[in-house]
Amino acid sequence: VYAERVQTSAVYLRDATMVTPYPILLFGGPIQVQHSQGVAVVGGWLRLRCNAQVAVMWRELRGRLEALLAQKIASPELDLWEAGEKLLGTVLHLLDTEHANHAH
């Protein structure tokens, strides 16, 4: 994630922050799955190597999270945890354990 992109003789990013893949998959742009290449493309430009079945599961998880958030926007009194306990628990678990899932 960056605040400003400047192009002179090269491209420079200013105020850049490293973001790991899981938050990008959950909160970035639309996810396109390129099955034959084993790639998930987020936002039309960020390519992440990923098993196609896993990428489809991320896209499904993301769709469910977006639907839950849309419900909350439509009904501010909605208790998010009550409405989506399993979904939110899964999201929190994935974010909490991302580093451990990729350690070799």
Side-chain angles (χ1 to χ4, degrees):
V1 176
Y2 60 90
E4 182 180 9
R5 185 176 100 176
V6 178
Q7 185 170 353
T8 57
S9 58
V11 176
Y12 297 94
L13 300 179
R14 294 189 180 156
D15 298 322
T17 301
M18 187 184 113
V19 178
T20 57
Y22 287 8
I24 291 170
L25 287 163
L26 284 169
F27 305 110
I31 300 171
Q32 298 171 329
V33 181
Q34 297 178 351
H35 296 269
S36 62
Q37 297 175 0
V39 171
V41 180
V42 181
W45 67 275
L46 180 62
R47 298 170 58 86
L48 301 172
R49 280 185 300 152
C50 185
N51 176 290
Q53 290 175 320
V54 173
V56 169
M57 286 191 288
W58 275 103
R59 187 171 59 193
E60 177 67 22
L61 180 65
R62 168 111 173 250
R64 291 181 184 199
L65 181 58
E66 287 177 354
L68 180 62
L69 294 174
Q71 284 181 311
K72 177 65 174 175
I73 291 168
S75 301
E77 71 282 353
L78 177 71
D79 181 330
L80 273 179
W81 192 255
E82 187 177 307
E85 181 177 0
K86 287 182 183 181
L87 173 63
L88 294 174
T90 299
V91 168
L92 290 173
H93 176 75
L94 287 167
L95 293 173
D96 285 344
T97 61
E98 180 179 14
H99 181 70
N101 290 337
H102 291 21
H104 297 293

